[in-house]
Amino acid sequence: MTKNILVVPGDGIGQEVTAVGKKVLDKIAAKFGHTFTYDEALIGHVAIEATGNPLPDETLAKMKKSDAILFGAVGHPKYDNDPTAKVRPEQGLLKMRKELGLYANLRPIKLFDELLSASSIKPEVLKGADILFFRELTGDIYFGEKGRKNNGDTAFDIAEYSRYEVERIARKAFEAARTRRKKLCSVDKANVLETSRLWREVVQKIAPEYPNVQVEHQFVDAAAMILIKDPRRFDVVVTANLFGDILTDEASQIAGSMGMLASASVGDGTGVYEPIHGSAHDITGKGIANPLASILSAALLLDISFGMKAESEAVISAVDQVLKAGFRTGDIADAQTPKDKILGTDAMGEEVLKRI
Ligand code: NAD
C-alpha cells in the first residue's frame, strides 16, 4: 500500500519522540512491503516563531492532503506563564481539530503487565484494566463564547452541545463497545448541567439500537472515583470534552506514565495520532523522554487510518517485548530497575525497532 504521512512534531519533546515514531513507521513499511512517503509541517510555538501563526495555512493545506498525521505536542513555558498572550500554541491545536472535523478522541488505556509496579495504584486493583475512552473533541466549554465583563473582574466560558454532536460520538463509542466487552459507560453531570442532560437524553435514545451493549450512566465525580477504586469495571467510556480531558489524564496513571499513552483523533477527514502528553519543558533537550506513546500512536495510525491490523499488532508486540526484556525510560523505571536497563529516547526506540 502507498500512503502519504504528514509528520507534525510541534514543540519540546514532541520533536524528540515523533522522530522515533516515524522510524517505527519506516520499519513497518520495509517489513510489510508498503511505501510510506512523508512530509513535515509546523505547529505551535515553532510555527509562531517562524510565521506568527500557530497553525499556518501551509500546515493546514498539507494536513488536509495527507492520509494520516503523526503529531507530537504543542506548548512553551513562555505562554504558560503569560495568560495575556493573544497568540498561543494551543490555538493551533484547537483550530486543527475544528478544521479537520476531529470530533472523537480515542484513548486506549491498557496496562502492560510489566509496568504494574510503575503505577501508584495497587497492582491487584490494576491487573487486567483495559479501558477505551471516547472524548468528544470539538464542542463544550472549550469552544463556546468566552470573555470578561465587569471591567475584566468577571470571566465566563459557555459550554454548548448540539444533539447531533452528542449522537455522532455516542455512536462511535457504541460501535467500539460492540467489538469489545460490550459495556458502555456514559459520563456526565446531568444532576447539574443542562448540556449533560441533553447528553444523557441522546445516549438513552440511541441505546436501544445497540441491544448487545450494556449501558450505564455515571456522574463525572463518581467516575473519577471509580477509575482509581476499580478501573476494571470500565470497558468503553464516552464523555464530553472537558470531563474527558481530566479523566483521561487521571487514567494515564493506570498505565504508569503519560509517556505510555497514545491517542487517535478522528472524524470527517484525516486522522491525527499523538501521545496524550504535552511538550514537557522540564525534560526537553535531555534525550530522556519516553518515546513509547509516540510509537503506540504510530500503531493506532496503522490500525485506524490504514486498516493495517497485523502491522499495528507488530508494533504493540515489539513494545511488549522491550518491556519484558526489562528496558525502561526514566519515567517508568522503579527502584528495582538496573541502571543499565534505563534508556534514553533514541536507545529505547532502537530496542523497539530491533523487535519489529
Ligand atoms: P506534560 O504532559 O508536558 O508533562 C507532564 C509531566 O509528565 C512532566 O513532568 C513531564 O516531564 C512528564 N512527561 C510527559 N511526557 C513524558 C514522556 N514522554 N516521557 C517522560 N516524561 C514525560 O504536561 P505539562 O507539564 O502540564 O505541560 C507542558 C506543556 O505542554 C504546556 O505548555 C502545555 O500547554 C502543553 N500541553 C500540550 C498538550 C498537547 O500538545 N496535546 C497536552 C498537554 C499539555
Side-chain angles (χ1 to χ4, degrees), residues 9-11 13-14 17 43 71-81 88-90 93 97 107 135 245 249 253 257-261 263 274-284 288-294 329-332 345:
D11 302 321
I13 64 164
V17 298
I43 196 167
F71 192 91
V74 297
H76 190 274
K78 186 166 131 186
Y79 310 91
D80 294 349
N81 301 321
R88 314 182 62 84
E90 313 83 67
L93 197 64
R97 290 172 182 167
R107 297 191 180 186
R135 167 189 169 196
D245 194 356
D249 265 25
Q253 283 316 297
S257 165
M258 305 265 278
M260 291 301 300
L261 289 183
S263 79
E274 60 178 309
I276 77 155
H277 62 71
S279 48
H281 324 307
D282 52 340
I283 57 167
T284 296
I288 58 171
N290 184 348
L292 295 179
S294 181
T329 42
D331 57 313
I332 50 173
T345 311

Side-chain angles (χ1 to χ4, degrees), residues 116 192 338:
L116 271 172
V192 181

Side-chain angles (χ1 to χ4, degrees), residues 77-119:
K78 186 166 131 186
Y79 310 91
D80 294 349
N81 301 321
D82 178 9
T84 63
K86 289 271 180 293
V87 181
R88 314 182 62 84
E90 313 83 67
Q91 290 165 344
L93 197 64
L94 295 184
K95 188 166 174 213
M96 172 184 81
R97 290 172 182 167
K98 262 286 187 232
E99 290 280 340
L100 298 181
L102 304 172
Y103 61 83
N105 183 234
L106 280 70
R107 297 191 180 186
I109 310 276
K110 193 168 165 26
L111 178 70
F112 288 91
D113 277 351
E114 295 70 34
L115 295 183
L116 271 172
S117 64
S119 173

